[in-house]
Structure formats: structure tokens, C-alpha cells
Amino acid sequence: MLKQWVLWVGGALCIVGIGFGIAYLTGVRSVERQATIDAPSNYILDMSLLAEAGGTVPTLTGDVHFGKTVNATDQSKFQAKIDAVRARLASDNTRADDWFSLAILYLDAGDTESARVVWEFLLAVVPAPNSAVVYSNLGKLYEYQLKDFKKAETYFREAMVADPTLEEPYASLFELYRYSYKQNTTAAVEVMQLAIEKFPKNLGFQLALAEYYRDAGRTAEARAVYTTALAAARTVGNLQVVSTINAELAKLQ
């Protein structure tokens, strides 16, 4: 069974699997692509790892530095939610889900630096493979908020190493290369070809590569990938994807 991706989207959970591969991986980047990834449920942190790394626990009392676009009403709402999570962490700072929630709230409130500090802290106390989601979140932060594409690339690749079974970093790295970084190279194609090889059941990866070729005017290559994906979609009985691919192939005639 295809592994599903769990993403935070506007405070709600969104499950993304094979049926939504097209919308998730292709076209204009969606809100989901910029969203953070949720923590493993009830994951308990090993604070002894923090001492070994010489790190410190992020402050739970500092001011929240709201983004310029966050109005006063929203600031009050964010502050209340942040205060509630901070209070829980003050009682028990080993709950990974609360730290992830705090980082997400900081990010949504526009306090990028506080979010970064929490993610960096989590790197020290979350070992592989669970650290993969932390690396991915840092990659997203450096790509979308800090615009440091080289660091974003590094974090996405670290996520791949930390958990080779996680599909999300491949999608993130592909879109980084496609839209922001190393665009005049073969990097986007190479990472998507690797993703297809590692996760052959994920039609979203195949469709993303086909669309990339299509938009680049590489019609023959787009047709070849679409045709392969079409056969796979028919095998699993995904009629929605079959219909979509047939429409795309018709446009390429």
C-alpha cells in the first residue's frame, strides 16, 4: 500500500496519497508544498541527546515577533495558541508534537527566526529516521521564507538520508530545482527519475516528470513518461488518472 504523506495545511491535516499525486506534485505550487510536516504522534524526545550535542532548549517566554501582514486580531489569536503550547511544554518539554506545533505556530505568525530555532533544536533531539521530517521542515523554511536555496537543498538531501522511505523530500527537492534553484541544469529531472525508481507505485512522481518535459517543450519525452504512467494507472484501476493522462496525451499529438 502506498505510503501516505501527512501535512499541516492551515491548521488541518491533509492526507496526500496516490489519488492526489497530480495536484500535489504538478502545476503551480500549492499551499501544501509550503506547509510543514507534522510530528510523529506521541513521540517523546530524548533530552540526553541535547546535552551530548551541547545545545539548549528554546525559550518559552520570549516575545513573538509577528510578521508585518499579521493584524492585531490575528496576533491575539496566535498569541493565545502559542501561550497554550508553551504552557504544556513548560510542564513537559519532551513532547515532540508540542514542539512541532510551536514551530508551526511561529511560522504561521511570521516569526521565522523562532521557528528556525525550534527546528534546529529538534535536530539535536530527534534521531533518524524521525529527524527526516525536521530536515524537510527546515528545507521548506529556507526555501520559502529565508530564500537560501543552497541550504534548502542540503536539508532536503539530509532528509532523504535520514529516512530513505520518506517520499516528501524528493517532491520538495524537485520543486526547488524546477522553480527556484539550478533551473538550467538537469537537477530536477535527475531527482525525479530517482524518485520514480525508488517509489514506482507513486504515479504522482511520473506525472510530475511528464509535465516537466511537457512544459519544457520536450514532447517526445513527455509522451513516453505519460504512456508509462498510463499503463500503471490502468493496472491499479485509477480511472481518474487514466482520464487525465489520456487528455494530456491528446494535447501532445
Side-chain angles (χ1 to χ4, degrees), residues 7-10 30-37 137 140 144 168:
L7 307 175
W8 276 95
V9 183
S30 61
V31 173
E32 290 90 341
R33 296 300 310 118
Q34 301 185 46
T36 49
I37 308 172
N137 281 318
K140 292 174 186 296
Y144 294 107
E168 199 281 334

Side-chain angles (χ1 to χ4, degrees), residues 75-168:
Q75 286 184 22
S76 296
K77 293 178 180 178
F78 276 123
Q79 189 68 61
K81 292 180 179 179
I82 289 170
D83 288 344
V85 177
R86 283 177 167 181
R88 292 199 300 270
L89 286 170
S91 297
D92 181 2
N93 67 2
T94 66
R95 284 289 298 259
D97 52 353
D98 280 336
W99 283 111
F100 271 64
S101 294
L102 185 60
I104 290 166
L105 285 167
Y106 283 148
L107 196 60
D108 288 346
D111 193 343
T112 301
E113 178 59 19
S114 291
R116 185 194 65 78
V117 168
V118 173
W119 293 134
E120 293 284 0
F121 154 72
L122 285 169
L123 275 186
V125 292
V126 178
N130 289 317
S131 60
V133 295
V134 183
Y135 282 120
S136 282
N137 281 318
L138 276 165
K140 292 174 186 296
L141 185 145
Y142 274 96
E143 178 180 3
Y144 294 107
Q145 278 74 38
L146 300 178
K147 306 299 181 182
D148 187 333
F149 302 134
K150 185 175 181 179
K151 278 193 175 182
E153 176 188 39
T154 297
Y155 281 126
F156 290 142
R157 290 196 175 277
E158 290 284 0
M160 293 176 181
V161 174
D163 185 357
T165 70
L166 191 64
E167 299 171 344
E168 199 281 334

Side-chain angles (χ1 to χ4, degrees), residues 54-70:
T56 58
V57 178
T59 180
L60 296 173
T61 59
D63 292 337
V64 179
H65 301 287
F66 295 101
K68 295 180 180 179
T69 61
V70 182

